[in-house]
Amino acid sequence: MCNPEEAALLRLEEVFSATLARVNSYVLQPLLPAAPEPSDPWARECLRLLQQLHKSSQQLWEVTEESLHSLQERLRHPDSTGLESLLLLRDADRVLQAHIEYIESYTSCMVVQAFQKAAKRRSQYWRGQRKALRQLLSGVSSEGSVGASPGQALHQPLTHHVQQYVLLLLSLGDTIGEHHPTQELVVNAVTLFGNLQSFMKQALDQAAATQALWHTLRGRPRDVLCTPAHRLLQDSQDVPVTVAPLRAERVLLFDDALVLLQGHNVHTFDLKLVWVDPEQDGCTFHLLTPEEQFSFCAKDSQGQAVWQWKVTQAVRQVLRGKKDFPVLGAGLEPSQPPACRCAEYTFRAEGRLCQATYEGEWCRARPHSKGTLKWPDGRNHVGNFCQGLEHGFGIRLLPQASEDRFDCYKCHWREGSMCGYGICEYSTDEVYKGYFQEGLRHGFGVLESGPQAPQPLRYTGHWERGQRSGYGIEEDSDRGERYIGMWQAGQRHGPGVVVTQAGVCYQGTFQADKTVGPGILLSEDDSLYEGTFTRDLTLMGKGKVTFPNGFTLEGSFGSGAGRGLHTQGVLDTAALPPDPSSTCKRQLGVGAFPVESRWQGVYRPFRDFVCAGCPRDLQEALLGFDVQSSRELRRSQDYLCCERTHPEDSVGSMEDILEELLQHREPKALQPYLRKALSNSLHPLGKLLRTLMLTFQATYAGVGANKHLQELAQEEVKQHARELWAAYRGLLRVALQRKGQALEEDEDTETRDLQVHGLVLPLMLPSFYSELFTLYLLLHEREDSFYSQGIANLSLFPDTQLLEFLDVQNDCVLHLTSHQPRDLAASASQACPTSLTASVSLPHTSLQLCRVRAASPCSRPCAGSAEPPGWSAVSSALPLCWSP
């Protein structure tokens, strides 16, 4: 059984559907011109709005027809079709949305007076349609303007229809009772259409106020502001307010913008980028924008409250992306708009951001968190921001004059400048990996030229204010030499060592990139020159040459075009031959560069990080990051996303690292933990070790593999072990402090040395073994050759002569000890497999030659037998001893 209210709803829908059809025929269709599209831009805009209104009217009519059909089905089959089948109840939101879209289209036309302009073209037609319009409208005056009747005919039936909806639905709810299954649907529909009444009234009032505003504006302000989207919310002519420091003659608050008028100047501020400062001073409140701050002062507290409330709600509404429903300021959302939001803005004021467009997150009118900056000249910056400045990780592209060439900076930033670790790829194909401070290279860094550069160079060392300064290594592959030493203002300055590919070594003092004062030069054959040189290490001036055989030449040296090297001095041949071992084992650089200060640029960032308490936001800036990208510089912004690997992605957060460190303090657990940490390049200790390996390879690999640098390398390895242990202790101290505990008293020297040499050094030594072993072999190359020749000559002895010469007795053992590699011992064993056995242990190789049941002892070689060739070399090279 159907209710009388349902029948009334059916009649209401029938009348409204017919009314919409007549409105479409008598009003909308005549308003749309049949002629081609007008050429005037403003006329085209009015036509577009009328067409949108016609489309919304059609959608509203279709929804009304569906609602009418559901009511008819209900009345035909009341027993089989429940009340919930009515479209007004089961899909009230859809019906509501059709009404909202229609009223928004209508008010847009109303704001720009599209009805009056369209009706003016056919005024004679509208005069003839007054009788038909009176049937659609109630209270239409014949004395009204020509354009008023069409406008009223388009909204008044809708207003009446929504009012009847609310009344009939309220009555239906009372009829079915509180316990009816569809009671909740009816209450929801009543609420929605009740709110729609309020929304329609507010929308019409705002449109009328906006339409009236255009009559008060003239010239440029009207041309700029008169758009269909604007809705006037507040005018300073209604509620007076003054603005400082910009003294505006008039202040207009629209639903999407705040406008300040000064004569013909129009200052427009997007409400998405307007922040209302919650603090207020009497009748004054403050607004923040990306480039300016304003103080709004009203005459009284009531006026201040009106302006502040309306601005706040307008900002909140524009951030939602749609008008508030049911009315402005009413809703379930908090009254205050969020302080953090996303928006796009182009800076206009002079400064470093002039003409730059920022797109990303904002906080209190400043770029904050993640965003993108783009300048008209092609510069781009993608990364993190803090209070308007680049802060955190960021990638910046700087275009160069040549086509499609960029400088690419992948760095950490602090307060707008590069600060911390970064990787920079330049358009010249140079690559810098290291630390920055205030936008300049500062601290430890590696600069490497491109493979196709005219002068390929690689510098590994310290920087200060953008220039090489302090201890550093430069390799000039074109000249085939490496400089190890001190720098100042980008030039070699102070003590230094030059190692050439030809095996020549120089140690001396440099000033302004030139050698000054005396120095020493070691040649490949261990000749020693002490004196002065030219820049290319040519002997020049007074000096002394000591040859490997002990001869000396002291005097003046010089060179001329085509004459080669010439000298004038004294040659001394009376000196005794020097000890070959001391001659070939001369070491360079020892004492010239204190080992404690060589790589402070590597240690210092780690110390700073630990002293700061290992904050997470500084972990990547100080310890560096891994970037997986090619050296090709790409234009597309899509490729500038941060591809770096965060430390916590592999080893957990810093809190987890410190927690794990506390769990492995016991001696048995400490060694496995340190081995694991040092082997992980993303662990702080592992990252430090990888950087130290980089410096070691840059110094002693390749051209730097010179026997005269072995002691210099050994000093560094020992110092690195001490620093790694100190780094572990620093992390342990921070871990204990976070637990409210304190580290035990500082270690004494003996305990520290025991941990360094017994624990850390064995763990880290494999990382440096390749370079160290090469240096060791080069240093002992002459001895190794001598031993190898001696062992080879032993194999030429017949067994009897060998035993007689060695005066071996029965059941005695001959021990032969040296420092030879495994293959030399094996070759000796293979030379005489029936009489010799060899056993080898590294690193101190022991070669044991055993003879069992030997012949009768003999103190000298057999008479008449010739001494085997090379025996004198064997006897002088191999330290032989035997024991019974």
Side-chain angles (χ1 to χ4, degrees), residues 191-506:
T191 303
L192 289 180
F193 289 106
N195 290 337
L196 179 61
Q197 280 187 286
S198 301
F199 177 80
M200 291 174 60
K201 182 179 184 306
Q202 185 183 69
L204 291 171
D205 291 344
Q206 290 177 357
T210 306
Q211 181 183 10
L213 172 67
W214 307 142
H215 298 291
T216 66
L217 299 177
R218 294 291 184 272
R220 183 172 180 273
R222 178 173 180 174
D223 295 339
V224 172
L225 298 177
C226 186
T227 63
H230 279 325
R231 297 292 184 274
L232 182 65
L233 303 182
Q234 191 62 55
D235 189 344
S236 61
Q237 289 187 348
D238 299 329
V239 180
V241 66
T242 59
V243 181
L246 183 64
R247 295 189 174 276
E249 300 171 0
R250 191 173 182 181
V251 182
L252 302 174
L253 176 63
F254 293 96
D255 60 347
D256 60 348
L258 177 68
V259 178
L260 306 180
L261 300 180
Q262 277 186 315
H264 293 290
N265 295 325
V266 181
H267 304 277
T268 304
F269 302 92
D270 187 352
L271 289 182
K272 292 180 180 179
L273 292 170
V274 172
W275 280 259
V276 180
D277 196 332
E279 297 182 3
Q280 59 185 44
D281 181 15
C283 299
T284 302
F285 69 97
H286 307 283
L287 293 183
L288 308 177
T289 67
E291 297 185 83
E292 299 178 81
Q293 298 184 11
F294 301 105
S295 297
F296 277 56
C297 183
K299 289 185 176 181
D300 50 36
S301 58
Q302 183 178 0
Q304 179 268 333
V306 169
W307 270 101
Q308 184 171 351
W309 183 84
K310 287 210 171 180
V311 171
T312 300
Q313 299 308 316
V315 171
R316 186 175 64 83
Q317 177 177 271
V318 76
L319 290 176
R320 292 181 64 240
K322 60 181 181 179
K323 294 181 180 297
D324 284 351
F325 184 84
V327 293
L328 175 66
L332 301 178
E333 295 84 358
S335 58
Q336 291 297 329
C340 297
R341 59 192 75 161
C342 293
E344 180 179 334
Y345 180 79
T346 300
F347 293 87
R348 297 182 293 270
E350 292 296 328
R352 69 183 188 92
L353 297 181
C354 183
Q355 301 302 317
T357 299
Y358 174 79
E359 183 179 0
E361 300 179 55
W362 299 74
C363 183
R364 292 184 60 80
R366 296 291 181 268
H368 195 81
S369 191
K370 297 185 181 301
T372 301
L373 267 175
K374 295 182 180 180
W375 283 266
D377 59 5
R379 287 177 293 161
N380 290 291
H381 183 94
V382 180
N384 294 329
F385 293 79
C386 181
Q387 294 301 313
L389 298 174
E390 298 90 334
H391 193 91
F393 183 81
I395 302 176
R396 176 166 292 185
L397 281 186
L398 299 180
Q400 299 303 307
S402 58
E403 186 178 358
D404 292 334
R405 301 292 288 177
F406 292 82
D407 289 347
C408 181
Y409 298 85
K410 303 173 185 178
C411 308
H412 272 266
W413 301 69
R414 181 180 298 171
E415 298 179 357
S417 299
M418 290 183 289
C419 189
Y421 184 78
I423 299 177
C424 301
E425 301 168 342
Y426 302 96
S427 60
T428 58
D429 287 337
E430 288 184 330
V431 177
Y432 173 80
K433 298 180 181 181
Y435 293 92
F436 288 85
Q437 183 173 306
E438 297 181 359
L440 299 173
R441 299 168 188 163
H442 192 90
F444 172 75
V446 179
L447 177 65
E448 184 176 5
S449 62
Q452 305 301 326
Q455 293 182 337
L457 294 174
R458 177 186 174 92
Y459 174 80
T460 304
H462 300 276
W463 301 75
E464 185 173 344
R465 305 295 300 168
Q467 295 182 318
R468 289 174 283 190
S469 185
Y471 185 75
I473 315 298
E474 182 187 66
E475 181 169 351
D476 187 340
S477 56
D478 189 40
R479 295 169 59 92
E481 63 182 43
R482 180 175 296 172
Y483 172 79
I484 304 170
M486 304 305 295
W487 297 74
Q488 182 176 313
Q491 295 180 322
R492 295 180 290 184
H493 192 92
V497 173
V498 175
V499 184
T500 69
Q501 201 166 13
V504 178
C505 298
Y506 165 81

Side-chain angles (χ1 to χ4, degrees), residues 522-662:
L522 289 170
S523 64
E524 181 68 17
D525 64 352
D526 295 325
S527 295
L528 173 65
Y529 172 78
E530 301 170 273
T532 56
F533 305 83
T534 63
R535 186 182 185 278
D536 58 357
L537 302 182
T538 302
L539 283 60
M540 179 67 68
K542 292 184 178 182
K544 176 183 178 181
V545 177
T546 303
F547 297 98
N549 59 3
F551 293 179
T552 62
L553 176 60
E554 187 171 1
S556 298
F557 297 83
S559 61
R563 295 187 300 168
L565 180 67
H566 61 87
T567 182
Q568 186 176 14
V570 177
L571 177 64
D572 184 4
T573 62
L576 295 174
D579 183 3
S581 62
S582 63
T583 301
C584 69
K585 293 183 180 179
R586 291 189 179 100
Q587 295 295 296
L588 299 179
V590 179
F593 322 114
V595 67
E596 297 84 4
S597 59
R598 287 182 202 165
W599 299 110
Q600 286 301 311
V602 179
Y603 306 139
R604 191 176 297 115
F606 193 93
R607 294 196 195 109
D608 294 342
F609 175 67
V610 172
C611 290
C614 300
R616 185 175 182 180
D617 58 334
L618 294 181
Q619 180 178 357
E620 195 177 50
L622 292 175
L623 301 182
F625 51 84
D626 293 336
V627 175
Q628 301 172 355
S629 66
S630 66
R631 292 180 55 179
E632 178 185 359
L633 304 180
R634 301 181 173 103
R635 174 191 290 270
S636 175
Q637 196 74 22
D638 297 336
Y639 290 98
L640 296 181
C641 62
C642 181
E643 297 177 353
R644 68 197 194 281
T645 301
H646 293 275
E648 57 266 23
D649 293 343
S650 181
V651 296
S653 65
M654 182 54 63
E655 290 73 16
D656 296 335
I657 292 174
L658 296 176
E659 184 66 29
E660 185 181 8
L661 187 143
L662 289 176

Side-chain angles (χ1 to χ4, degrees), residues 86-100:
L86 298 182
L87 183 67
L88 281 175
L89 301 183
R90 62 178 170 83
D91 207 353
D93 289 331
R94 181 183 168 204
V95 179
L96 174 74
Q97 188 60 34
H99 285 75
I100 292 177

Side-chain angles (χ1 to χ4, degrees), residues 11-125:
R11 291 191 297 273
L12 179 65
E13 294 288 42
E14 289 175 341
V15 171
F16 186 59
S17 177
T19 301
L20 286 176
R22 292 197 301 272
V23 166
N24 181 66
S25 299
Y26 293 128
V27 181
L28 280 176
Q29 291 291 349
L31 286 175
L32 297 175
E37 184 176 296
S39 58
D40 179 36
W42 189 247
R44 287 200 302 270
E45 178 65 16
C46 291
L47 176 60
R48 183 189 68 81
L49 294 174
L50 289 171
Q51 290 172 342
Q52 179 62 39
L53 178 61
H54 181 261
K55 180 180 179 181
S56 300
S57 175
Q58 286 293 112
Q59 292 175 347
L60 181 59
W61 178 80
E62 291 173 0
V63 169
T64 304
E65 282 291 300
E66 288 187 42
S67 176
L68 176 60
H69 178 72
S70 66
L71 285 165
Q72 290 172 345
E73 287 294 315
R74 165 69 175 162
L75 292 176
R76 290 194 194 101
H77 310 285
D79 297 330
S80 60
T81 307
L83 191 61
E84 66 277 1
S85 65
L86 298 182
L87 183 67
L88 281 175
L89 301 183
R90 62 178 170 83
D91 207 353
D93 289 331
R94 181 183 168 204
V95 179
L96 174 74
Q97 188 60 34
H99 285 75
I100 292 177
E101 290 179 3
Y102 179 85
I103 199 63
E104 287 180 345
S105 299
Y106 172 81
T107 53
S108 294
C109 294
M110 179 180 175
V111 165
V112 298
Q113 298 179 321
F115 303 132
Q116 291 88 332
K117 295 175 182 178
K120 188 176 182 181
R121 295 192 302 268
R122 303 183 61 187
S123 57
Q124 188 65 33
Y125 168 80

Side-chain angles (χ1 to χ4, degrees), residues 789-799 801-802 831-832 868-871:
Q789 185 62 38
I791 293 176
N793 289 334
L794 282 175
S795 65
L796 302 178
F797 275 62
D799 288 352
Q801 279 189 308
L802 178 61
C832 189
W871 176 251

